[in-house]
Amino acid sequence: MRHLYLHIPFCHRRCSYCDFNTYANMEHRIAAYVDALCAELAMLREHIPPLPASPEAAALRPSIFFGGGTPSMLTPAQIERILQAAVAIVPIEQAEISLEANPGTVLGRDYLRDLRALGVNRLSMGVQSLHDPTLRMLGRIHTAAEARASYEDARSVGFESINLDFIFGLPGQDLAEWRATLQEVIRWDVDHFALYSLILEESTPLYAQVTAGRLRVPDDDLTGAMYELAMELLGQAGYRHYEISNWVRPHPADRPGAPPTLACQHNLAYWLNSDYLAAGAGAHGHVFPQRYANLRPIDNYIAAVQAGQRPIAETTPLTGADLAAETMFMGLRLDIGVSFAHFAARTGQPLTAVYGATLTELSAQGLITIDHERVRLTDRGRMLGNQVFAHFV
Ligand code: SF4
């Protein structure tokens, strides 16, 4: 199925840990940006990738993902225009349409109702913490109470698929605070969680504060214990840990050996190493045999599109070896792992012919299991994921 990522590079304020391609105080460029995004989508119609051969990838719903940045800074009318421009690429009536919403920018129930009426059917909210001093330290523009109110508003207007993002391993965070956060959000009856350990990016204010000794982050052992606590508590609450950083509520339509029904279809396309188009400033697309990255600065992006050019900054050619490696280290992130059928359909080669010796070695180390159908990480392999993935690069 076909997948489209749309980057919305505007934020009210930069969070202290963020190195995404996003800009504060650029609201005056939103209207011109939406024009440019619609024009880029018209150009992308010539570059629609073929449908996937892999059975798992073919079973996904088509998807559109509004990511950012803060897509909830756009008005419903702007989102509607973008969707109208996207319809030639992705059949939007059947699509999962996700939108990242920042609590504090979600303008109440009317706004959410309008999004739902436009066909947006999945919300992903960046909550990050339920500890107000931590939210302030991170530069977030919302409190824990506002995050909860935004979540409840989204539920009340009929969003049936809602993801909440949280970060663990934050400065000053201990296991008791993280336990309290998890216990609280489990009571909210959320469909889906994405939990990420903090990554200190060099270009960020938070990195400078930590390296200057003004803030202390938990060590690797404590951060690992937080991850294990999340696995324990969310597992006890019935969530399926279907990807290294993602948990989802079970659904009656779930089938053994298949991704969960309520999983994000768009992210599954990434993990299944499918092709996808991307539009917007700094967006990255992947249409084998190449990957492309758009111009990052908003004004450069708009100027390129206004000049009638595709706003590409860089194109990277991909080889068959790249495709095989990515298919493995992306797919092994999933609890269903990589099936022999998926690998062969995506790469044109049998898995054992490409990675037979590697699989034997990882299996002997207790990091993967292999059955007649697929290869999966063991619990230990999941804890040491990066070590496993390095074997395929
Ligand atoms: S709201 Fe999200 S994208 Fe914007 S600065 Fe904060 S973390 Fe980055």
Side-chain angles (χ1 to χ4, degrees), residues 10-20 22 68-70 100 102 128 138-140:
F10 302 94
C11 286
H12 287 292
R13 187 164 79 196
R14 292 299 306 262
C15 301
S16 67
Y17 58 90
C18 179
D19 78 336
F20 296 158
T22 185
T70 306
E100 287 186 335
N102 201 355
Q128 316 309 2
L138 294 175
R140 304 288 301 173

Side-chain angles (χ1 to χ4, degrees), residues 230-247:
M231 290 197 282
E232 180 191 329
L233 295 185
L234 291 175
Q236 284 169 2
Y239 286 91
R240 172 170 161 188
H241 188 185
Y242 76 98
E243 192 273 345
I244 284 180
S245 302
N246 287 272
W247 284 257

Side-chain angles (χ1 to χ4, degrees), residues 18 26 145 149 182 191 234 257 259 267 270 273 284 292 302 308 326 363:
C18 179
M26 290 290 283
L182 291 167
D191 308 299
L234 291 175
N267 286 341
Y270 296 156
N273 200 22
H284 288 63
Y292 67 89
I302 293 173
E326 288 172 1
S363 173

Side-chain angles (χ1 to χ4, degrees), residues 5 275-279 282-287 290-294 318:
Y5 175 80
D275 289 328
Y276 56 91
L277 290 171
H284 288 63
H286 180 289
V287 182
Q290 65 180 32
R291 178 184 297 133
Y292 67 89
N294 277 354
L318 297 170

